[in-house]
Amino acid sequence: MSSHYFAFVLDEKSRSEILARVGRSFEKTIAHHVTIEFNPTDGVADKFPQDSDVRVIGYARGENIECVAVSVNGKTERADGSFYHVTVSLRPPAKPVDSNKLKNEVVQVDDFKIFGKFEMVKK
């Protein structure tokens, strides 16, 4: 059984802007998407129109991972209680999902709009 998720996949310009503003603290660069929902429920795509306002609002760095916190149409928390974010870089064995552990470490930054496309992504 293949798993999938619904995400806001960054366009190249927004990816480059995040990397330029934040840099990379660890050797594996990700900066690819904002997960909206794992194994998405029916109708989730209808809740996120392509013209949604998606903004970087914060930054967090842990021992082996860093991310930027994101708001989607003014909301920062996903339906599952974790927060919207883009994993920027990591040091293995950390995995992108480990960014969720940084929720309480986020410091506010001057927000900026990012662009991309909401879509289903297969793992």
Side-chain angles (χ1 to χ4, degrees):
M1 181 169 122
S2 70
S3 62
H4 58 284
Y5 55 95
F6 184 70
F8 180 75
V9 178
L10 301 173
D11 67 13
E12 192 54 43
K13 184 176 178 185
S14 293
R15 181 179 192 270
S16 295
E17 183 171 6
I18 289 171
L19 294 172
R21 288 184 183 226
V22 174
R24 298 169 190 87
S25 295
F26 305 105
E27 60 264 26
K28 184 172 181 182
T29 303
I30 309 286
H32 178 261
H33 69 275
V34 178
T35 300
I36 304 298
E37 189 174 309
F38 284 106
N39 298 314
T41 54
D42 288 339
V44 68
D46 298 333
K47 298 175 190 172
F48 297 91
Q50 294 297 339
D51 64 349
S52 292
D53 184 39
V54 183
R55 297 184 167 276
V56 170
I57 58 166
Y59 172 79
R61 180 173 184 244
E63 190 175 321
N64 295 310
I65 197 160
E66 69 180 327
C67 68
V68 291
V70 173
S71 69
V72 179
N73 294 326
K75 295 182 181 180
T76 58
E77 196 167 286
R78 293 189 340 207
D80 65 5
S82 59
F83 71 114
Y84 293 123
H85 64 273
V86 174
T87 299
V88 176
S89 71
L90 59 81
R91 175 186 302 125
K95 296 182 186 211
V97 70
D98 294 332
S99 288
N100 288 302
K101 297 174 185 172
L102 300 176
K103 181 178 182 177
N104 296 323
E105 309 300 320
V106 173
V107 294
Q108 190 174 0
V109 299
D110 289 337
D111 70 285
F112 60 96
K113 188 169 177 77
I114 54 176
F115 300 90
K117 183 178 178 186
F118 288 99
E119 60 185 74
M120 294 293 180
V121 180
K122 281 193 169 208
K123 272 177 121 174

